[in-house]
Amino acid sequence: MKNNDEFISILIEECKKQDIDISLEKAEKLAIYKDLLLEWNEKINLTAITDEYEIIVKHFVDCLECTKALKEEREIVDIGTGAGFPGMVLAIYYPEKNFTLIDALNKRILFLDDIICKLQLNNVKLIHGRAEEVIRINNLYEAYDACVSRAVAQLPVLLEYTSPYIKVNGKCIIMKGDSIEDEIKLSQNALKVLNLKINKKYYYSYTINNEKYSRTILDVVKNNKTPSKYPRNYGKIKKAPL
Ligand code: SAM
């Protein structure tokens, strides 16, 4: 792309295609985020996607699809946020909501801290550590209205990482690809044990260079408290997923 004006107008246009309304001010912040993402990506591994158009569609607009599932929730946690997807993008979109972004890799947390400073965001908190550990260390059990997560683990494992963070009646918004039905079948026990129910599925797709990408967002509701033994430690989760 020639410059950030072009980046911003294509971003707004791509959002419109997916029925997502975004202001010029927020799109400008995402353009700065993109510049920093590409700059830091030269030093540390943040993303394999470096084409600016693909960053718009596969990262920014993709993350903004969560706005279709998020409503009144105010306190939101992103598990395995990586370079801030979807949590940082959503924090830019929703300055009135508070976000906690958790990741096991400290280098990514340092990058996210730079974004917070450069964009002067006051609604984002960062935590370095494994989700199944920091929940107890930082006293975050059932502390959030919603949890978001993209590309972190298979659904039964991910539900054990994420659902203990949300309050009863809160929701997990899980971003997945198109072959979700097999993962859902594999997750029946996890859903039962963790008192969860799949409330809704959102389907969307986009096309880049004649290739179609189909995606699903699962809206999973927590009906009752999480039994206190969950989440188990990493060794147990890995050895015997729910
Ligand atoms: N969500 C981002 C995205 O969609 O681009 C990053 C996805 S990346 C494939 C997976 C991220 O999850 C990595 O940054 C990794 O460090 C983090 N991760 C994996 N397991 C985790 C855990 N148990 N707790 C915290 N972070 C975890």
Side-chain angles (χ1 to χ4, degrees):
M1 281 178 205
K2 288 194 293 284
N3 52 43
N4 270 352
D5 285 346
E6 189 181 357
F7 183 91
I8 289 163
S9 69
I10 292 175
L11 171 60
I12 292 173
E13 200 178 296
E14 292 297 328
C15 280
K16 218 176 255 165
K17 280 191 201 163
Q18 300 288 346
D19 272 330
I20 298 163
D21 224 4
I22 188 164
S23 67
L24 179 61
E25 189 192 346
K26 290 171 189 172
E28 282 167 352
K29 288 192 170 151
L30 289 174
I32 297 170
Y33 186 176
K34 175 266 303 175
D35 287 339
L36 291 166
L37 178 74
L38 292 175
E39 190 184 314
W40 276 72
N41 205 41
E42 309 233 319
K43 299 174 279 181
I44 63 167
N45 177 20
L46 290 172
T47 177
I49 298 168
T50 53
D51 174 78
E52 297 200 2
Y53 178 70
E54 293 201 20
I55 290 175
I56 289 177
V57 179
K58 292 185 177 175
H59 283 326
F60 293 159
V61 182
D62 191 53
C63 293
L64 289 171
E65 294 286 350
C66 290
T67 59
K68 292 171 186 164
L70 280 169
K71 304 276 182 274
E72 302 300 313
E73 297 83 7
R74 286 196 69 87
E75 300 294 326
I76 299 163
V77 61
D78 180 4
I79 303 295
T81 189
F85 305 130
M88 187 66 88
V89 178
L90 293 170
I92 292 166
Y93 191 82
Y94 289 121
E96 71 281 12
K97 296 185 193 285
N98 295 319
F99 288 81
T100 301
L101 314 186
I102 299 176
D103 202 277
L105 270 187
N106 200 41
K107 281 183 190 167
R108 293 183 177 157
I109 295 291
L110 295 176
F111 161 69
L112 294 173
D113 196 39
D114 194 33
I115 301 286
I116 290 174
C117 293
K118 300 269 165 56
L119 295 182
Q120 299 189 324
L121 301 175
N122 56 17
N123 61 335
V124 187
K125 197 173 133 193
L126 303 173
I127 300 180
H128 167 229
R130 294 197 63 85
E132 65 279 22
E133 293 170 3
V134 298
I135 190 168
R136 291 196 178 90
I137 300 167
N138 293 47
N139 212 7
L140 297 176
Y141 215 83
E142 305 198 324
Y144 292 91
D145 302 316
C147 170
V148 291
S149 193
R150 186 182 84 163
V152 172
Q154 279 278 100
L155 194 54
V157 170
L158 192 58
L159 293 174
E160 185 166 352
Y161 287 161
T162 55
S163 63
Y165 280 87
I166 57 167
K167 298 172 188 168
V168 175
N169 296 326
K171 56 170 77 160
C172 294
I173 295 165
I174 310 285
M175 304 183 72
K176 287 283 181 184
D178 60 348
S179 51
I180 187 69
E181 292 308 323
D182 288 346
E183 272 193 71
I184 291 176
K185 270 190 207 140
L186 272 178
S187 304
Q188 292 308 308
N189 184 51
L191 289 165
K192 195 168 145 213
V193 167
L194 298 168
N195 296 320
L196 303 172
K197 189 170 173 268
I198 296 177
N199 180 42
K200 218 167 174 178
K201 295 174 198 161
Y202 297 86
Y203 299 102
Y204 61 99
S205 63
Y206 49 84
T207 305
I208 300 179
N209 295 331
N210 294 325
E211 193 172 343
K212 188 175 174 188
Y213 297 86
S214 299
R215 298 275 179 262
T216 313
I217 291 180
L218 292 180
D219 174 336
V220 181
V221 177
K222 176 154 141 182
N223 295 318
N224 217 328
K225 283 180 90 64
T226 305
S228 59
K229 69 187 253 200
Y230 302 109
R232 297 164 295 159
N233 68 40
Y234 177 65
K236 285 194 180 146
I237 295 177
K238 194 164 177 234
K239 199 168 158 210
L242 288 173

